């Protein structure tokens, strides 16, 4: 199947998914909380994408959902809430989210070779589930990431629903942090693509940003969600105790699942990666340690 046909199929699945979510928001029964209505619609769209994944036997149908959903969810909430009050902060948030979404979705489009390619982690996860592989596919690959992204979007809901505080210095910090995170991810991915195009078999990446962090792209992604938390904090300082919950969920996922799987794969495929682990920080960028000299 060509990449073009693959993208068309995935695009149709997303149109159906967000159409179903929109239909629920427009005509479905409402709860007493708009955020909960958004969560239900989000899960409905996820189930449609899951159905497409199962019908094609390829869970990479879900990959772009991570970056496509946030701006649409914010717009859906905003359309329900209305434009009353000062919306400067909301426009700043939307601008940062769209910048992030365009960059991440564009990166996925560029890197995705088309069906039947599937992210190598998904078959491993399903295999671990044994007879319950369909449950693992649904929950671990589709629903749990959806819940994580939704948690990361809750500060945006606060920004839209609490307009009592005007724009301030913390909003500017949030913009700088958010844009900086996206630029960091873009630079890290670009460096990796250039390295991959000319690397020797088994060679490990330890150049540029990748010499300061073994996973600068994941660090940038985490910092983006921190930026949304900062916007939520600027809108409602009293909610300091929970507005970073989404960022914490992202950190836990990267440290507990994504990074360990990537590290193990690199150790198996790249003999020199052990040396990279010894020299280069795991997550937060900092100057690398000096390379150990062999004993005389």
């Amino acid at each position: 199947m060509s990449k073009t046909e693959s993208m068309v199929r995935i695009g149709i699945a997303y149109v159906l998914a967000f159409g179903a979510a929109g239909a629920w928001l427009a005509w479905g029964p409402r709860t007493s909380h708009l955020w909960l209505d958004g969560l239900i619609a989000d899960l409905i769209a996820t189930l449609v994408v899951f159905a497409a994944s199962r019908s094609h036997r390829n869970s990479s149908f879900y990959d772009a959902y991570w970056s496509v959903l946030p701006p649409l969810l914010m717009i859906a909430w905003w359309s329900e809430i209305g434009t009353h009050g000062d919306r400067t902060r909301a426009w700043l948030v939307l601008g940062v989210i769209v910048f992030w979404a365009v960059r991440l979705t564009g990166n996925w489009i560029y890197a995705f070779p088309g069906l039947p390619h599937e992210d190598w982690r998904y078959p491993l996860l399903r295999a671990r589930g044994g007879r319950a592989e369909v449950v693992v596919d649904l929950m671990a690959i589709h629903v749990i990431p959806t819940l994580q992204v939704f948690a990361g979007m809750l500060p945006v809901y606060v920004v839209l629903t609490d307009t009592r505080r005007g724009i301030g210095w913390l909003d500017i910090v949030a913009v700088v942090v958010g844009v900086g995170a996206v630029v960091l991810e873009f630079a890290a991915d670009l460096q990796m693509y250039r390295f991959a195009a000319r690397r020797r078999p088994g060679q490990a990446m330890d150049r540029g940003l990748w010499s300061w962090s073994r996973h600068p792209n994941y660090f940038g992604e985490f910092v983006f969600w921190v930026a949304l938390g900062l916007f939520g904090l600027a809108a409602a300082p009293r909610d300091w105790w929970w507005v970073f919950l989404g960022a914490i969920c992202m950190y836990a996922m990267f440290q507990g699942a994504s990074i360990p799987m990537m590290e193990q794969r690199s150790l198996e495929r790249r003999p020199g990666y052990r040396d990279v682990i010894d020299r280069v920080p795991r997550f937060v960028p900092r100057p690398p340690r000096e390379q150990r000299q062999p004993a005389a």
Side-chain angles (χ1 to χ4, degrees):
M1 185 183 303
S2 68
K3 180 172 181 175
T4 299
E5 182 181 351
S6 300
M7 298 300 296
V8 168
R9 292 194 181 202
I10 293 172
I12 291 173
Y14 278 47
V15 168
L16 294 175
F18 292 121
W24 174 269
L25 290 175
W27 300 296
R30 295 299 184 94
T31 71
S32 57
H33 302 285
L34 179 58
W35 67 266
L36 184 55
D37 294 331
L39 175 58
I40 294 172
D42 194 359
L43 290 172
I44 288 173
T46 300
L47 290 176
V48 174
V49 175
F50 172 69
S53 295
R54 297 301 295 184
S55 66
H56 287 79
R57 299 180 181 179
N58 191 323
S59 294
S60 278
F61 262 75
Y62 182 82
D63 288 351
Y65 192 84
W66 181 283
S67 57
V68 173
L69 181 278
L72 297 180
L73 180 60
M74 181 178 181
I75 292 170
W77 276 338
W78 200 344
S79 66
E80 291 289 331
I81 293 169
T83 58
H84 59 279
D86 184 1
R87 290 298 175 180
T88 303
R89 179 177 294 113
W91 281 112
L92 290 176
V93 174
L94 183 59
V96 171
I97 290 178
V98 168
F99 182 46
W100 165 84
V102 169
R103 203 290 310 177
L104 192 53
T105 306
N107 181 68
W108 172 78
I109 293 172
Y110 174 79
F112 185 61
L115 303 171
H117 168 81
E118 184 178 35
D119 189 302
W120 60 268
R121 291 167 290 191
Y122 300 157
L124 290 178
L125 290 172
R126 291 196 298 266
R128 293 174 184 174
R131 294 182 178 179
E133 65 89 15
V134 66
V135 177
V136 172
D137 193 3
L138 172 62
M139 298 305 299
I141 300 175
H142 293 80
V143 172
I144 290 177
T146 287
L147 295 177
Q148 289 176 312
V149 171
F150 188 85
M153 287 293 293
L154 288 177
V156 177
Y157 184 80
V158 172
V159 168
L160 291 172
T161 56
D162 194 332
T163 59
R164 290 173 293 179
R165 294 177 62 87
I167 204 79
W169 65 269
L170 191 54
D171 296 286
I172 305 304
V173 171
V175 171
V176 172
V177 170
V179 171
V182 176
V183 172
L184 174 64
E185 288 185 276
F186 174 78
D189 287 337
L190 182 60
Q191 288 176 2
M192 179 57 79
Y193 288 140
R194 289 176 174 174
F195 170 77
R198 59 179 182 271
R199 68 181 171 192
R200 301 184 303 273
Q203 185 180 8
M205 173 58 152
D206 61 349
R207 305 173 185 178
L209 292 170
W210 300 82
S211 68
W212 285 56
S213 169
R214 301 201 299 273
H215 303 279
N217 51 342
Y218 286 157
F219 177 75
E221 184 68 11
F222 163 70
V223 172
F224 165 77
W225 296 102
V226 170
L228 296 191
L230 290 173
F231 278 120
L233 183 63
R238 67 184 180 279
D239 292 330
W240 62 269
W241 58 277
W242 71 267
V243 291
F244 294 101
L245 175 62
I248 293 171
C249 289
M250 298 296 173
Y251 180 83
M253 179 189 68
F254 291 144
Q255 294 289 359
S258 300
I259 289 178
M261 293 182 75
M262 294 294 292
E263 299 268 88
Q264 183 60 39
R265 180 177 171 87
S266 292
L267 285 170
E268 294 171 354
R269 294 160 58 94
R270 301 174 179 91
Y273 194 68
R274 173 57 63 183
D275 174 66
V276 175
I277 290 177
D278 291 340
R279 292 184 293 105
V280 180
R282 174 185 173 103
F283 191 63
V284 179
R286 65 166 176 76
R289 301 183 184 93
E290 292 184 5
Q291 190 169 5
R292 296 178 180 177
Q293 297 297 325

